[in-house]
Amino acid sequence: MADLRPSVRLRPDVADMPAYVPVEPPEFWVERLGVPAGRLIKLDANENPYGPSPRARQALADLPNAQIYPDPSQRALRAALARHLGLDAGRILVGHGSDELIDLLLRLVLEAGDVVLDCPPTFGMYRFCTAVCGGRIRPVWRRPDFALDLPAVEAAAADRRVKAVFITSPNNPDGSITVPAAVERLLRLPILVVVDEAYVEFSGSPSLVSQPLREAENLVILRTFSKWAGLAGLRVGYGHFPAEIIGHLWKIKPPYNVNVAATAAALASLEDVDYLQANVARLVAGCERLQAELARFPFLHPYPSRANFVLCRVSKLPARQVWEALRRLGVLVRYFEQPGLEDCVRISAGTPAQVDALLAALRQIAEEHLGATG
Ligand SMILES: *Cc1c(COP(=O)(O)O)cnc(C)c1O
């Protein structure tokens, strides 16, 4: 009976596509490394170590309606976001994480062979979603200090197949910001400009949603509850979209994309902003301390960051070796097998106790691999 089925024909571009490399959950590492769950120090995904606000936890515990489908129009959450941010609710769409909104947007604009500009080193989802949607990525590399190369983006956008450019500010993995004047310049291009503000709450700079620029016809602003509000596991992000395109996004959105637990937790978070803001301030202070402490190791060279993580160049040892040695000691950081980042690790700002554990592990690695004066 083996060969009676016709072979399934896959899309050749998808068949040849490499898989996205996501971070693994703590349980995976607890088992793999044999460290007790309480001793694992997770600094690899820029998650908020303080977790959701107490009101969000209560809202989840009290969830009255898990048996009912969520509101496909997201009325309550869009209204609360509009109030919180001073926006028109008609321009807001909520996603199953901002990741889903990246995918939806690209489904809307890309035809086979169309081009998306991204500015690496940067977040991997733009590249990934572009490939899934049948588009092609054209990288416009950032400068050595991670600033955008604006003239190069403008030159690349002259190709009529280019449909969009993704700008991450603060950028992941280095934490540098793109100033509004640079975004304003890019908005003159005849393409969609998507500004991903996943970390804007840590940056000390206002979001573009609070600026007149937000009315540009080709600007999309993406934000998320994953980082500042500690809801990464519930998947809730949102965007501010041009009036001309948001109606079409609604047509292609999976009807029940944001579940009732995520909705309840996000609504409660917006009722607990002062609490969450205090944790943001703790993480900003933690990030500053992390930078200062890392710079004291002669083999580590942290970059300045306006987010809740630090990118750190490693000398004298391969970065991969530092990453693996930290992991054996129960400290997870992010390593990227990517051009321009092979000698770097990215470390999320943890609690003071987590940073203490990281620093102790780094001292041990310095002693073992570089001698006591490391
Ligand atoms: C973490 C992160 C996000 C968040 O995505 P969600 O799907 O909302 O969790 C978006 N963009 C960047 C650059 C990020 O680092």
Side-chain angles (χ1 to χ4, degrees), residues 1 9 13 23 25 40 55 68 77 80 150 165 211 241 285-286 307-308 324:
M1 292 296 287
R9 288 203 8 209
D13 57 331
V23 293
L40 192 74
R55 288 193 192 191
I68 307 289
L77 186 48
L150 287 177
V165 60
Q211 308 196 18
F241 296 92
N308 62 332
E324 285 169 350

Side-chain angles (χ1 to χ4, degrees), residues 5-347:
R5 282 170 302 170
S7 66
V8 178
R9 288 203 8 209
L10 302 180
R11 258 172 60 189
D13 57 331
V14 173
D16 292 341
M17 194 182 126
Y20 187 80
V21 183
V23 293
E24 299 293 350
E27 339 42 294
F28 173 90
W29 290 112
V30 164
E31 187 174 335
R32 164 79 75 93
L33 301 170
V35 294
R39 276 217 21 237
L40 192 74
I41 309 290
K42 192 173 187 318
L43 303 175
D44 61 346
N46 303 339
E47 290 138 336
N48 188 325
Y50 299 106
S53 87
R55 288 193 192 191
R57 291 175 205 267
Q58 195 60 51
L60 291 169
D62 295 344
L63 202 65
N65 53 355
Q67 77 282 17
I68 307 289
Y69 281 104
D71 175 6
S73 300
Q74 313 166 341
R75 291 175 185 84
L77 186 48
R78 286 193 302 115
L81 281 166
R83 260 196 318 279
H84 175 63
L85 300 167
L87 297 174
D88 171 3
R91 302 279 295 279
I92 299 174
L93 182 67
V94 186
H96 183 72
S98 46
D99 285 358
E100 183 187 38
L101 299 173
I102 296 167
D103 177 63
L104 271 185
L105 199 56
L106 291 174
R107 285 178 192 234
L108 187 63
V109 301
L110 290 184
E111 294 178 61
D114 279 346
V115 174
V116 171
L117 305 179
D118 85 343
C119 303
T122 194
F123 191 46
M125 286 304 288
Y126 321 130
R127 209 162 44 236
F128 170 78
C129 294
T130 297
V132 171
C133 291
R136 289 176 292 151
I137 275 283
R138 184 159 312 151
V140 180
W141 287 84
R142 287 169 178 261
R143 299 180 191 279
D145 65 352
F146 297 102
L148 288 182
D149 187 343
L150 287 177
V153 175
E154 287 167 337
D159 177 348
R160 286 188 34 243
R161 301 296 316 253
V162 172
K163 292 293 176 67
V165 60
F166 281 84
I167 306 295
T168 321
S169 180
N171 189 40
N172 179 1
D174 63 285
S176 65
I177 65 167
T178 296
V179 296
V183 175
E184 197 166 6
R185 184 167 149 185
L186 294 177
L187 287 169
R188 291 187 207 121
L189 297 169
I191 61 175
L192 205 55
V193 176
V194 186
V195 181
D196 182 342
E197 294 190 328
Y199 302 99
V200 72
E201 293 83 359
F202 303 98
S203 72
S205 304
S207 163
L208 289 182
V209 301
S210 65
Q211 308 196 18
L213 214 55
R214 72 171 185 235
E215 295 307 330
E217 280 170 17
N218 55 338
L219 176 64
V220 169
I221 306 161
L222 299 179
R223 298 184 62 181
T224 179
F225 285 82
S226 290
K227 313 293 168 37
W228 76 280
L231 300 185
L234 287 170
R235 317 300 304 121
V236 50
Y238 58 96
H240 185 262
F241 296 92
E244 252 189 88
I245 76 166
I246 192 160
H248 300 287
L249 285 171
W250 279 107
K251 289 191 299 192
I252 64 171
K253 177 183 83 65
Y256 309 114
N257 63 326
V258 183
N259 69 60
V260 293
T263 303
L267 282 169
S269 299
L270 294 177
E271 301 283 316
D272 219 353
V273 170
D274 289 346
Y275 174 92
L276 290 167
Q277 206 50 50
N279 287 341
V280 167
R282 279 186 193 99
L283 288 169
V284 169
C287 196
E288 282 166 13
R289 172 181 174 226
L290 185 58
Q291 271 172 312
E293 294 284 358
L294 292 173
R296 292 157 59 126
F297 291 88
F299 68 112
L300 299 177
H301 315 280
Y303 288 95
S305 169
R306 300 278 294 273
N308 62 332
F309 52 83
V310 177
L311 186 72
C312 195
R313 207 165 277 282
V314 182
S315 60
K316 300 186 172 75
L317 284 174
R320 168 187 277 283
Q321 190 181 341
V322 173
W323 170 59
E324 285 169 350
L326 282 171
R327 202 166 66 193
R328 279 194 296 275
L329 295 169
V331 180
L332 306 178
V333 301
R334 190 85 201 247
Y335 175 70
F336 305 90
E337 246 152 320
Q338 278 169 36
L341 295 174
E342 304 94 336
D343 56 349
C344 289
V345 292
R346 191 198 65 198
I347 308 175

